[in-house]
Amino acid sequence: MNHLKSMTMSEIGAVLKELGQPAFRAKQIFSWLHKGVRTYEEMTNLPKSLRDTLAEQYPINAPEVVRKQESQKDGTIKYLWRLSDGNCVETVLMRYHYGNTVCISTEVGCRMGCAFCASTLGGLVRPLEPFEMLDQVLFTQLDSGLPVSHIVLMGIGEPLDNLSNVLRFLELVNSPDGMNISMRHISLSTCGLVPKIDELAEEQLQISLAISLHGPNNAIRSRIMPVNKAYPIEELIPACRRYYEKTSRRIHFEYAMIRDLNDNPAQAKELLALLKGLPAHVNLIPLNHVEESPLKPSTKAAVAAFQKILEDGGVTATVRRTLGSDIDASCGQLRRKYNRESDTADQQRK
Ligand code: SAH
C-alpha cells in the first residue's frame, strides 16, 4: 500500500502527474496531510473530482486514541494509539522547560530482547511506516493542543532496525512545509547496531545519537542486552567515535541504573575509562521497574555516588528525571498492560 503521507512532496508530485494534475497541488496536499486531516473532504482547495480519486486510490490512515493517561504530578501525557491494522503503539508527551517533547515508537514490539525492557516481551510484530511515526507527533500535538518542539525516538522499537523508514520520517517531520521540527531537536536512541550506526553517520544529520549502554563491560552488557553478543563494546565504542568524526555531534550514553548489577563505584570507574577521550554525555536513568522482570532500580545514594565519580572524572552525567511514573510512562508498559487486559477479556468471552 502506498501512503501519500509517507511520500515527499516531489513523490506526491509524481503521483499527481500520473493523474494529469498540475504540480502545485503537491504542496497543497502535503500541507494538508501534515496538518493531520483525516479525510480528503477537508482539503477544501482541491477540486471535488481529485478529492474523490485520491480517496479511492490513496486512503488516508490516522490512528485512534485507545487510552490517554495524564500524570497528575508533572503533566506528562501518554497515548496508546490503535493503528489501521489493529496494532497498538505508545507515544509520550513530556513537558520540559525548553519545550514539549514527544517520545515516539518506531516499531510494533521489538526483537532486541533487552532484559529490563517491557517493549520487547512479545517480540517484534512489524516495523512502523514513516507516516505512522509522523502521525504520533501530529496527533499528539492536535489532541493535546500543545505545540511539539522536540522529538525523541525512544519509545517502543529499535529505530536502527527500521532505518530506512526512520530516515524518511526524519525528512518528513523536518520539512518546512510540514511540522518543520529542527534536526537538532531530535534524538535517536539505539541499543547499538554497529553497521546501522555507520549508515546513519553517512547521512550527516544534526540529530543527537543516544546509545543504550547500560554496562561498562561485555560481561555485564551481554547479560542484559543480547545485542552485545553481536556487537560487543570494542566494536560499539569505535563506531561512536566514527559517528562523532562524521557529524561532530557529541554522543549521549544512556545507562539504566540496576541495583547490584551495574551500579557500584568500580563500575563507574570502568565506564569512565571506557568513555575517555570521546565527547560524551552520560544519562543515568533510574531503572523503571517492569513487572515481569526481577531487576530492581538502584538506590538514590548509589545513583548519586555513580554520578559523582563520572563528573569528577570529567564526563558530564545527568540523572534523568522520571516523568509520568504514575501512568506507566516507560517504554512499552501501557501497550503491554492493554494487550494483557484484552487477552484476559478474550479468554473470558471464550
Ligand atoms: N531501542 C532503542 C530505543 C528505545 S528504548 C534503544 O534501545 O535505545 C529507550 C531507552 O529506554 C533505552 O535506553 C532503553 O534501554 C531504556 N529502557 C528500556 N526499558 C527501561 C526500563 N525499564 N528502565 C529504564 N530504562 C529503560
Side-chain angles (χ1 to χ4, degrees):
M1 182 52 149
N2 271 334
H3 294 280
L4 288 188
K5 222 192 296 183
S6 284
M7 293 184 192
T8 61
M9 211 187 298
S10 62
E11 287 168 346
I12 297 177
V15 167
L16 290 169
K17 199 167 171 198
E18 291 273 301
L19 297 173
Q21 292 288 328
F24 71 87
R25 299 238 178 263
K27 187 166 175 172
Q28 293 175 324
I29 294 171
F30 187 91
S31 305
W32 282 116
L33 290 172
H34 288 240
K35 281 195 177 78
V37 297
R38 288 177 177 270
T39 65
Y40 286 102
E41 289 313 302
E42 293 166 68
M43 302 190 182
T44 45
N45 52 0
L46 299 191
K48 171 90 174 102
S49 58
L50 177 59
R51 282 186 278 177
D52 291 345
T53 310
L54 290 174
E56 210 185 286
Q57 296 187 14
Y58 297 94
I60 300 177
N61 285 348
E64 301 292 337
V65 180
V66 188
R67 296 261 167 101
K68 177 179 176 182
Q69 299 184 348
E70 192 157 358
S71 165
Q72 297 307 306
K73 292 188 199 161
D74 51 47
T76 298
I77 307 176
K78 179 141 189 171
Y79 289 96
L80 183 71
W81 306 104
R82 186 180 293 109
L83 309 173
S84 32
D85 67 351
N87 276 306
C88 292
V89 289
E90 296 170 31
T91 307
V92 187
L93 178 104
M94 292 160 294
R95 304 169 74 168
Y96 290 109
H97 62 92
Y98 52 76
N100 298 316
T101 303
V102 287
C103 174
I104 66 160
S105 298
T106 54
E107 297 181 311
V108 180
C110 183
R111 60 188 183 120
M112 296 298 141
C114 299
F116 44 82
C117 184
S119 301
T120 196
L121 289 168
L124 174 68
V125 179
R126 68 169 176 87
L128 291 183
E129 298 294 325
F131 80 91
E132 292 174 316
M133 294 180 238
L134 181 73
D135 276 350
Q136 293 175 62
V137 186
L138 209 47
F139 288 101
T140 295
Q141 177 168 286
L142 280 174
D143 184 274
S144 68
L146 298 166
V148 170
S149 56
H150 292 67
I151 301 173
V152 295
L153 282 73
M154 295 191 183
I156 299 171
E158 167 50 48
L160 296 190
D161 197 30
N162 187 17
L163 183 56
S164 58
N165 285 350
V166 163
L167 289 176
R168 168 57 62 101
F169 157 71
L170 293 175
E171 181 182 352
L172 293 173
V173 82
N174 180 237
S175 165
D177 296 296
M179 295 200 79
N180 197 14
I181 293 181
S182 153
M183 289 285 183
R184 286 181 171 266
H185 287 183
I186 302 178
S187 294
L188 182 154
S189 175
T190 177
C191 63
L193 301 177
V194 166
K196 299 285 175 181
I197 293 174
D198 284 322
E199 254 183 71
L200 181 66
E202 290 300 323
E203 300 287 325
Q204 302 205 327
L205 300 176
Q206 288 299 295
I207 59 170
S208 297
L209 179 66
I211 304 285
S212 298
L213 194 60
H214 307 326
N217 58 44
N218 285 329
I220 293 179
R221 199 163 186 266
S222 293
R223 240 176 98 185
I224 48 176
M225 300 182 72
V227 67
N228 193 67
K229 293 175 190 139
Y231 305 112
I233 284 182
E234 62 277 13
E235 291 179 30
L236 178 59
I237 299 297
C240 294
R241 201 176 300 283
R242 291 193 294 276
Y243 187 89
Y244 176 74
E245 281 161 9
K246 277 260 172 214
T247 62
S248 305
R249 302 287 290 161
R250 182 166 73 146
I251 312 283
H252 293 247
F253 289 92
E254 294 159 281
Y255 197 98
M257 300 281 300
I258 308 173
R259 193 182 305 174
D260 300 331
L261 191 136
N262 64 1
D263 64 347
N264 71 38
Q267 289 157 341
K269 287 183 190 132
E270 214 178 335
L271 179 61
L272 199 56
L274 184 68
L275 301 182
K276 205 172 160 51
L278 194 70
H281 176 95
V282 176
N283 246 315
L284 299 172
I285 315 165
L287 184 79
N288 261 304
H289 181 62
V290 171
E291 237 174 75
E292 289 89 339
S293 154
L295 303 173
K296 299 267 181 307
S298 301
T299 62
K300 270 199 167 140
V303 176
F306 202 94
Q307 181 186 23
K308 185 164 187 315
I309 292 172
L310 294 177
E311 292 270 352
D312 288 350
V315 170
T316 59
T318 43
V319 180
R320 186 174 296 168
R321 274 199 303 150
T322 39
L323 293 177
S325 52
D326 53 335
I327 55 163
D328 301 315
S330 84
C331 290
Q333 292 190 356
L334 185 58
R335 169 173 172 264
R336 181 105 193 119
K337 203 185 222 177
Y338 175 75
N339 285 350
R340 252 198 328 248
E341 283 168 11
S342 15
D343 283 354
T344 316
D346 280 351
Q347 276 158 14
Q348 281 166 354
R349 270 197 294 277
K350 272 178 202 153

